[in-house]
Amino acid sequence: MATRSRKGKKCTVIGGCGFLGRYIVERLLEEGYTVSVFDIAKTFEDDRVKFFVGDLCQEKDLAPAISDVQTVFHCASPPPSSDDRDLFYRVNFVGTKNIISACKKAGVQKLVLTSSASVVYEGTDIKNGTEDLPYAKKPMDYYTETKVLQEKEVLAANSPEENFFTVAIRPHGIFGPRDRQLVPILVDTARAGKTKFMIGNGENLVDFTYVVNVAHGHLLAAEHLHKDSPVCGKAFHITNDEPIPFWTFMSRILEGLNYPSPKMGLPYLLIYYLAAFLQLLCLLLKPIKEIKPTFTPMRVALAGTYHYYSCQRAKQLMGYKPVVPLDEGIKLTVKGYAHLQNNN
Ligand SMILES: NC(=O)C1=CN([C@@H]2O[C@H](COP(=O)(O)OP(=O)(O)OC[C@H]3O[C@@H](n4cnc5c(N)ncnc54)[C@H](OP(=O)(O)O)[C@@H]3O)[C@@H](O)[C@H]2O)C=CC1
Ligand SMILES: CC(C)CCC[C@@H](C)[C@H]1CC[C@H]2C3=C(CC[C@]12C)[C@@]1(C)CCC(=O)C[C@@H]1CC3
């Protein structure tokens, strides 16, 4: 008992210097956990946190960071906008297997993976999708393909007989202050004059999840992860439970930052196939010049289709409910990005 209680509140957040990871660290500290962070780069200071800088692709780097802890949160990933297939495979698949191996060797009891609701998304409508949907047979990009591999590996590693329990959290459309993907890319797109039109008719409902709710879901999962718990070895959607039309959300952020929001819609399929053609062209031109298109087929599909998910399983098995409502999250996000405000 002494060993378990001593380790009980000790945890490590792999990827803890990232957008979501740092919010998980902050929530853990609020809840009285002893927190270590393992990341490829240290991006913030906090005297309460023990930092380990390393590469999760190197299992030897991991050992010191997870020694004598009960719970590991794994939220590291290359940015989805990367086009480095090998990097995605090494970090998200091989790196995750390293984490599982290192956790078992170190006697870690709980592994909470940050997966993604996109592991079941193939570019067509998903309305109130449950965790029973099959994995995407044709993921829309390589990032998603490696997230599928990663989740399968972690859930299969759940082993009560080895006192090792795993769970996968599937957030969708995480947003909030310090985000490095959604708002910065949206603002860049607006500044380039590319948000004059919506993609599609603007009615497609989508889940956007305020980052504090995602961190809350991760801690709930860890607290419910123990022998004989129904949480073990399962995936859970964590959303704001308030699906919103994609372009209504984007317009709220744009107008909040004093950028014009799109008023007219362009036919979804026209833009989708244009994006697919552009992606092929960029691939052919890559040896001559590297061009990264704003409107990738994945982003166009996300902008033009329904994709929202049921978090009923998290509500029932973990008592999850969002702690920050969507409207409040949007206001906090706009406030957090005042430095990206349109001053023209
Ligand atoms: N953002 C979103 O909308 C969604 C995100 N997710 C998942 O949530 C998780 C967190 O996402 P997010 O916070 O947005 O991502 P970030 O890129 O902000 O954070 C990821 C962190 O992992 C670090 N990292 C990357 N490679 C390695 C490595 N080899 N070794 C150690 N650390 C590494 C990154 O460092 P560096 O920055 O230097 O690369 C970064 O600090 C990811 O697993 C992502 O797949 C799921 C659904 C939606
Ligand atoms: C077409 C543009 C005007 C859209 C600008 C916003 C997009 C950059 C974001 C809208 C939906 C976001 C999203 C992700 C990244 C950023 C967006 C495409 C993810 C792909 C991040 C990683 C995941 O696991 C799934 C996310 C789905 C939603």
Side-chain angles (χ1 to χ4, degrees):
M1 275 302 283
T3 308
R4 195 171 69 171
S5 60
R6 180 170 51 77
K7 290 175 70 170
K9 297 283 276 188
K10 295 180 74 175
C11 58
T12 297
V13 183
I14 298 174
C17 288
F19 165 50
L20 170 62
R22 191 170 169 188
Y23 279 92
I24 292 175
V25 168
E26 290 165 351
R27 275 305 301 261
L28 287 165
L29 292 169
E30 285 167 15
E31 296 298 319
Y33 283 84
T34 302
V35 183
S36 294
V37 163
F38 177 92
D39 205 300
I40 204 161
K42 181 183 177 186
T43 60
F44 70 97
E45 297 292 337
D46 190 319
D47 295 341
R48 299 168 296 175
V49 175
K50 190 171 183 184
F51 288 92
F52 296 84
V53 177
D55 183 348
L56 63 84
C57 296
Q58 306 298 325
E59 187 176 337
K60 62 177 174 47
D61 288 3
L62 288 162
I66 61 172
S67 165
D68 195 33
V69 303
Q70 183 192 55
T71 306
V72 166
F73 297 86
H74 172 21
C75 56
S77 168
S81 55
S82 167
D83 55 7
D84 187 337
R85 293 169 67 97
D86 179 54
L87 181 67
F88 281 128
Y89 186 80
R90 281 188 293 110
V91 175
N92 285 351
F93 183 54
V94 177
T96 297
K97 291 203 289 181
N98 286 347
I99 290 171
I100 292 167
S101 170
C103 282
K104 288 189 173 182
K105 286 174 186 170
V108 170
Q109 285 179 351
K110 307 180 183 187
L111 175 57
V112 181
L113 168 71
T114 311
S115 178
S116 170
S118 290
V119 296
V120 297
Y121 180 68
E122 294 187 300
T124 54
D125 291 345
I126 294 179
K127 298 181 180 180
N128 204 38
T130 68
E131 293 87 348
D132 299 325
L133 285 173
Y135 288 115
K137 293 181 183 61
K138 295 179 183 172
M140 292 198 72
D141 57 17
Y142 200 62
Y143 159 82
T144 307
E145 189 167 338
T146 56
K147 292 297 282 186
V148 171
L149 294 173
Q150 175 185 67
E151 181 181 298
K152 286 178 177 177
E153 208 64 32
V154 167
L155 296 184
N158 184 63
S159 173
E161 57 280 2
E162 295 177 272
N163 199 33
F164 184 57
F165 308 105
T166 68
V167 66
I169 299 298
R170 294 179 179 176
H172 193 49
I174 311 176
F175 74 99
R178 308 198 301 249
D179 151 47
R180 306 192 278 183
Q181 289 167 48
L182 196 158
V183 173
I185 294 172
L186 177 61
V187 167
D188 285 347
T189 308
R191 286 175 171 172
K194 297 178 183 175
T195 53
K196 291 186 173 64
F197 299 99
M198 287 186 281
I199 295 168
N201 60 18
E203 293 171 6
N204 54 307
L205 293 174
V206 168
D207 273 325
F208 289 100
T209 314
Y210 188 63
V211 61
V212 167
N213 296 327
V214 181
H216 174 57
H218 280 70
L219 268 72
L220 273 181
E223 287 156 14
H224 285 79
L225 201 52
H226 50 73
K227 193 168 180 58
D228 302 328
S229 163
V231 166
C232 299
K234 286 194 178 70
F236 291 86
H237 293 144
I238 292 292
T239 75
N240 249 86
D241 207 17
E242 296 176 79
I244 180 174
F246 180 92
W247 290 100
T248 301
F249 178 87
M250 294 298 152
S251 297
R252 286 282 310 273
I253 302 288
L254 288 169
E255 290 164 11
L257 295 174
N258 199 28
Y259 292 96
S261 58
K263 297 293 181 282
M264 272 184 62
L266 294 174
Y268 167 67
L269 285 176
L270 170 67
I271 304 300
Y272 180 81
Y273 286 111
L274 271 177
F277 172 72
L278 191 58
Q279 186 176 60
L280 179 63
L281 200 59
C282 291
L283 194 63
L284 295 172
L285 292 174
K286 193 169 182 178
I288 305 163
K289 180 173 174 53
E290 177 118 21
I291 304 168
K292 292 195 80 170
T294 301
F295 295 96
T296 61
M298 174 68 158
R299 285 181 185 170
V300 170
L302 289 166
T305 62
Y306 288 76
H307 42 101
Y308 62 95
Y309 301 86
S310 164
C311 49
Q312 197 56 31
R313 177 187 280 182
K315 291 177 184 175
Q316 283 171 346
L317 298 187
M318 300 197 287
Y320 170 75
K321 65 178 184 178
V323 288
V324 179
L326 190 70
D327 184 60
E328 185 183 342
I330 293 172
K331 288 172 181 166
L332 290 168
T333 302
V334 167
K335 194 175 171 187
Y337 278 99
H339 61 289
L340 294 183
Q341 183 105 6
N342 180 15
N343 297 314
N344 294 334

